[in-house]
Amino acid sequence: MLIRNICCIGAGYVGGPTMAVIALKCPHIQVNVVDTNKERINQWNDDDFDNLPIYEPGLGEIVKKCRGKNLHFSINVEEMIEKADMIFISVNTPTKTKGVGAGKVCDLKWVEKSARQVANFSKGHTIVVEKSTLPVRTAEVIQLILNSCQNQSKLEFNNKSFDVLSNPEFLAEGTAINDLLKPDRVLIGGDNPEAIESLRIIYKRWVPESKILETNIWSSELAKLTSNAFLAQRISSINTIAALCESTGADVREVSRAIGRDSRIGSKFLDSGPGFGGSCFKKDILNLVYLAEYFGLPEVATFWNSVVSINNWHQHRISKLIIQKLFGSLSGKKIGILGFAFKANTNDTRESAAIQICKDLLEEGAILLIHDPKVEKKKIDQDLSYENKYTNSWNIVDCVEEALENVHAAVILTEWQDYSNINWHEISLKMIKPAWIFDARSIVDKQKVLDAGINIWRIGDGST
Ligand SMILES: NC(=O)c1ccc[n+]([C@@H]2O[C@H](COP(=O)([O-])OP(=O)(O)OC[C@H]3O[C@@H](n4cnc5c(N)ncnc54)[C@H](O)[C@@H]3O)[C@@H](O)[C@H]2O)c1
């Protein structure tokens, strides 16, 4: 089946960039990205390409090229479903907060709603593609919903048919466009070779065939969870070694460099930092934990759960260390926070280590001056406003200088390039002495900070 019209349900961090790249590479396909969030859609349609709802290097240029030609953003969910030959479900799948499996299993209500919408409004044959990250065997649920509607529609003499494919997304925020243009692999899970071929033809326009992998649908779903679990596991592993380095006088950068040279280990994802964040790692591991428990494998569940608990422990460890270096009390002390996004080159703060560390510092009575070049002020306010506590205890500032004026310490939590070029000699004059830099991202020049008369703590540096 040759695809001419795609609908993507969900205009978020995955739906938006993924569909922009498909539109760029397949000018013969009309791509409609739909979302129930009107504000988000308005931002996607903003005349100023700096106001897109998602910040990703290179995204604005692609949207500029394709929007209004073969890439469209709207809230007309039903209409666009009706027109589509292929529908990507790219909606949010956060961890359930109540009921059975709360805190572990992901809440499928948005996926289920999307499947029902597809079942109700699609026409003719439709290929439904799971783009969201889903627990193993979700395709079965989607197929069940679609089938039940198929039976109904037969009664109404309106024949519909569906194929369900799994096509998990492996992009990383901050490098999404590059990851989409040059993926390590594209994974397609399914059982109908014709449907698989329809999706394969789309990717083949820019991805070498050897990188397009086919699996059965359950392997595809599990591979995505496993991939994120392995990545997060590396971060937790190196962060435990950072703690050990600090106690023993070793340096985690040197340890990483040494072990990364082993081709069996590889050098990527070996940077110690403030702990992993983002919307996916924790949620996907917790899903894996739930699956293991459900299938009677408690040892497997415990193993993966420890990756998340080490991450939590590590974030609190950094907060405690700051308190200890500042003489055991933060009451009334001003602290500059550099970076709030969970990593550089994104405006996403979901599960950012900055949220937990800032909350810990606020709990100790600190007054925070927070800077981030891309995160909106209202997002930071939302993330820190919990139980209406400490609402007057932080200020969001526009520049680094303002964040470091009259502060006792600066805490670097996101590796924005600008933070590695700070003139510490100038800043030092404005800080309260003894002043401290807590560099949780290893991006400042330690010697320059020391020369400026400022104390420094670096993650995993046993000599500071
Ligand atoms: N963010 C990432 O880096 C990343 C990477 C790979 C995979 N994933 C997975 O992709 C999925 C989407 O993630 P995201 O970060 O894009 O989420 P997101 O929250 O940014 O976007 C999801 C969008 O779906 C919309 N939506 C929900 N239900 C809808 C419905 N019935 N009709 C229309 N719109 C609806 C929401 O309004 C929201 O804008 C998740 O399963 C996630 O785990 C995310």
Side-chain angles (χ1 to χ4, degrees), residues 8-17 34-38 40 44 54 56 77 89-94 106 109-115 117 131-134 168-173 224 228 278-280 283-284 342 348 350:
C8 174
I9 307 178
Y13 283 86
V14 168
V34 294
D35 204 295
T36 42
N37 182 337
K38 200 170 177 188
R40 212 170 210 187
W44 279 113
I54 284 159
E56 274 296 337
V77 181
I89 298 182
S90 192
V91 298
N92 35 322
T93 51
C106 78
K109 77 173 170 205
W110 293 273
V111 172
E112 190 183 328
K113 186 170 177 216
S114 305
Q117 286 170 312
K131 196 52 143 165
S132 296
T133 306
L134 297 167
E169 185 47 62
F170 293 98
L171 68 78
E173 285 177 30
K224 173 62 196 177
N228 274 354
S279 67
C280 297
K283 151 178 96 68
D284 293 350
F342 83 92
D348 197 350
R350 289 176 291 181

Side-chain angles (χ1 to χ4, degrees), residues 345-361:
N345 292 322
T346 177
N347 59 349
D348 197 350
T349 64
R350 289 176 291 181
E351 298 292 340
S352 175
I355 300 175
Q356 189 53 57
I357 293 173
C358 285
K359 282 183 177 176
D360 287 346
L361 303 181

Side-chain angles (χ1 to χ4, degrees), residues 9 81 89 91-93 96 106-120 128 132 134 138 141-146 148:
I9 307 178
I81 287 178
I89 298 182
V91 298
N92 35 322
T93 51
K96 246 176 124 174
C106 78
D107 193 339
L108 289 179
K109 77 173 170 205
W110 293 273
V111 172
E112 190 183 328
K113 186 170 177 216
S114 305
R116 288 186 193 282
Q117 286 170 312
V118 173
N120 286 331
V128 179
S132 296
L134 297 167
T138 306
V141 176
I142 294 179
Q143 190 78 60
L144 222 93
I145 293 171
L146 298 173
S148 60

